[in-house]
Amino acid sequence: VEGATIRDLTVSTTFEIISGTRGGLINEVVASSTATNITNVTTTAHITANSGLSTVGGFVGLTNGVLNITSSTFNGSLTYTDGSPSRVGALIGYAQSDSLTNVITLTGNTVSGDITMTGMGLVSKTAGLVGELEDGSVTATGNTILSDITVSGTSEFRYSGSLIGEM
């Protein structure tokens, strides 16, 4: 997706992936100076990723552009088992650097549900808002995180947080 506006929408979905990128609403926001805007959207997603390189987000799996998420709600569950590297975030799985700097604004959103990372992967990054921010900036204002975040297993490097797993 590039420069889209998505508003006043309710999405309910359940799926399982072996590896790759998956978002409950958008798989990828591509590099662009034109913002993608998500406003007043409720996503109830139950996403399970099993092994392999995976990036999972309740709204967006991967972004490397300008993204605004406002007054939206994530309900559901994100579960990742046995793989590496992995990035899991209730709103965004992975904010990857690209030719444009990531500029992400998260305002007045609510996150609820379970986020679970288990297994023996080398690296795991898990958070209530963004699993990993590789480059760029996140401005987060007035967000509510009601999620249970569980990270367990024998990963060599585990990064987890209520807001961002790793920066």
Side-chain angles (χ1 to χ4, degrees):
V1 171
E2 177 182 350
T5 296
I6 302 168
R7 62 181 311 120
D8 304 323
L9 179 69
T10 299
V11 175
S12 181
T13 187
T14 299
F15 47 85
E16 182 175 339
I17 62 173
I18 300 302
S19 66
T21 299
R22 178 59 85 174
L25 184 64
I26 299 169
N27 280 348
E28 182 178 357
V29 174
V30 299
S32 173
S33 59
T34 304
T36 294
N37 298 293
I38 299 170
T39 305
N40 196 32
V41 172
T42 298
T43 299
T44 301
H46 300 282
I47 304 170
T48 301
N50 295 306
S51 73
L53 169 64
S54 292
T55 298
V56 178
F59 275 90
V60 176
L62 169 69
T63 182
N64 51 32
V66 180
L67 175 63
N68 303 309
I69 303 177
T70 306
S71 302
S72 294
T73 301
F74 169 77
N75 297 307
S77 61
L78 304 174
T79 304
Y80 186 88
T81 58
D82 293 329
S84 180
S86 52
R87 302 161 182 100
V88 178
L91 296 183
I92 301 165
Y94 183 26
Q96 180 183 40
S97 67
D98 204 334
S99 57
L100 297 173
T101 300
N102 284 312
V103 178
I104 300 167
T105 304
L106 307 171
T107 307
N109 301 294
T110 301
V111 172
S112 64
D114 295 325
I115 303 168
T116 305
M117 173 84 69
T118 62
M120 301 179 353
L122 176 64
V123 180
S124 63
K125 300 158 185 184
T126 310
L129 295 181
V130 180
E132 179 182 359
L133 174 65
E134 184 177 317
D135 193 10
S137 66
V138 173
T139 301
T141 307
N143 298 286
T144 302
I145 301 170
L146 304 171
S147 292
D148 288 328
I149 301 171
T150 304
V151 179
S152 64
T154 58
S155 293
E156 188 171 334
F157 300 101
R158 279 182 259 173
Y159 307 93
S160 60
S162 295
L163 301 177
I164 298 172
E166 181 190 23
M167 292 177 66

